[in-house]
Structures are given as structure tokens and as C-alpha cells.
Amino acid sequence: MRIAEIYASLQGEGLLAGTPSTFVRTSGCNLRCVWCDTPFTSWKPQGREMTLPDILSAVEPLAPRHVVVTGGEPMLFDDVVPLCAELRSRGFHVTIETAGSVLPSPGPPRCDLMSISPKLASSTPPADTPGGWARRHEASRRRDDILRTLSASAPYQFKFVVESAADIDEAVRWIDDLGSDIDRGRVLLMPQARTPEELATRAEWLAKECDRLGFRLAERHHLLWFGGRRGT
Ligand code: SF4
């Protein structure tokens, strides 16, 4: 698997926010979100090939007992299945972070938290983006069949990145389309923000919307704690 970085920090988002975690960040993505906060795994992927023993050797010495397998898009790699199985057999709690638009060929890896972040229409890059990425992103970003498979395979959370009322409307329609099995208490709205100031303004507005809709607010604590620096 191509790995961009492995490091220990605190989980900054979602139901496990604040949990000491080791992040295994794969490199490569089938999408190109216009606001991607890890462009070194999507727009300009970096990293090196690592075998499963290499990855396990990098994770084991670090202190956290929680591991977050993230990206990029980790589901692009079939090896994510044995990686997660081995981590769990060694007693680690495993979260997978995915956009839910692709599955490895063996099917969904087993994990303890399936963190699914479907990409709304506002994530699509401009039409004139080189490489045809507007069309490719738009054609790939929504796969309800995969979302249902993932949410049935493990405890889950849905995280939507939101910057406007239109985004909220799309997220509500999308959750409704997925059916009544989806627990709204596991749906989180996360403010799109690149700076602490942007985060504070959007979070205040979004908190009221979450209260109205029965969703949760997902802060982006790492922006406040670490300034969103790489490796944090
Ligand atoms: S799915 Fe994630 S890694 Fe891929 S482009 Fe979007 S934000 Fe970046």
C-alpha cells in the first residue's frame, strides 16, 4: 500500500474526538474534493510503498491503542482488509475513514468504527479542472449501495462537510434516501473551514441546524489544537 504518513496524535473529529490515536494515512484517492485538506494524498499524492509488516512495525511502538486507517481513500487498497484484521487481532481499536465511494475487492474490512464521509455536490471541483476531474468526481462521489454495505458492516458514523444551507438540504435528502435504518444520532455535520476563525463562525451556525435536525455537530478540533498542520 502507498502510505503518506504514520503518526500518533489525537483524533480531532467525530464520535471519538479527543482519543489518542495512531493515524495510518494511505495515499491516492478516486475523488478530488475542491477543498481537500490532504492534497498530498489526492491532487498530488505522495508517499512510499509499505508492506503490511512495515506498517505494523511502524504502528506497534507508538503508544495509542486506537488506530485510524485514513487517506486519501484507504478502500482503494485490497490490503486494507488484512491490515485491519491484523491490527484488531493485536488488540487495536480500528477506525476506517472513507468517502464510501469504492470498496476493496474482498469487500468491506472489519473494523470497530466505520467513519463514512460522503461527499456533497459542493465538493466537486470547477468544470475546467485539468484531467476531467469535475466529471470524474461527480460520477464517482455518490454510491448509495456502498454506503448501505458499509453502515451494515460495523458501528458507523456519517460525517458531512458543510458550508451552506444547500449542503444541509442535500445531506438530509441523502440520509432520507438511505432509509430509516440510519441512526440520525450517528450523522454528524462538520463545518468546512481552513482557519479557526472560519470554524468558529460556521460551527455556531451549524450547531443550531444540528439541534433542529437531530444530527450531531462535529467540530474540527485539530484545527484549533494544532492549526491543521500535516502530521497532527
Ligand atoms: S475524498 Fe478525502 S482525500 Fe479524497 S479528495 Fe476528498 S477530501 Fe481529499
Side-chain angles (χ1 to χ4, degrees):
M1 302 169 74
R2 193 173 187 194
I3 301 292
E5 55 189 5
I6 296 175
Y7 61 93
S9 185
L10 296 179
Q11 174 59 277
E13 303 173 351
L15 297 176
L16 294 177
T19 305
S21 303
T22 295
F23 293 80
V24 176
R25 187 179 301 286
T26 62
S27 188
C29 189
N30 59 323
L31 301 179
R32 291 294 186 276
C33 300
V34 66
W35 39 251
C36 180
D37 56 358
T38 57
F40 55 92
T41 68
S42 56
W43 291 97
K44 293 186 178 173
Q46 302 171 4
R48 66 186 176 100
E49 286 297 319
M50 292 180 75
T51 64
L52 295 191
D54 290 341
I55 297 169
L56 294 164
S57 297
V59 169
E60 280 282 8
L62 301 174
R65 300 310 296 168
H66 282 66
V67 176
V68 181
V69 180
T70 184
E73 178 49 77
M75 298 295 199
L76 288 176
F77 301 95
D78 287 354
D79 273 356
V80 75
V81 176
L83 173 64
C84 292
E86 185 59 30
L87 286 166
R88 294 182 86 219
S89 79
R90 297 183 185 201
F92 290 100
H93 176 288
V94 175
T95 297
I96 300 175
E97 294 189 335
T98 174
S101 62
V102 64
L103 281 177
S105 50
R110 301 296 300 272
C111 67
D112 301 286
L113 178 62
M114 190 65 77
S115 180
I116 311 163
S117 184
K119 299 304 183 247
L120 299 169
S122 58
S123 66
T124 302
D128 59 356
T129 302
W133 274 111
R135 177 187 49 74
R136 293 163 71 184
H137 180 97
E138 197 53 37
S140 304
R141 69 178 176 84
R142 180 162 176 168
R143 286 286 304 272
D144 288 10
D145 56 330
I146 293 178
L147 299 182
R148 290 192 185 97
T149 298
L150 292 174
S151 59
S153 72
Y156 63 86
Q157 64 183 10
F158 281 97
K159 289 190 299 183
F160 289 93
V161 175
V162 166
E163 58 186 357
S164 69
D167 288 343
I168 295 178
D169 291 346
E170 185 184 352
V172 169
R173 282 197 307 275
W174 201 341
I175 289 297
D176 286 347
D177 289 348
L178 290 175
S180 56
D181 287 350
I182 302 299
D183 176 358
R184 283 192 167 215
R186 288 181 169 271
V187 177
L188 296 88
L189 302 185
M190 192 159 67
Q192 207 296 96
R194 289 182 191 273
T195 65
E197 295 72 29
E198 221 174 14
L199 180 65
T201 306
R202 286 221 171 100
E204 190 181 342
W205 160 70
L206 208 48
K208 294 183 188 123
E209 293 298 301
C210 287
D211 195 30
R212 178 175 71 84
L213 294 163
F215 294 159
R216 292 192 193 207
L217 177 68
E219 290 275 12
R220 310 185 88 158
H221 296 291
H222 49 291
L223 252 183
L224 299 176
W225 295 336
F226 309 116
R229 287 192 317 277
R230 184 170 171 179
T232 59

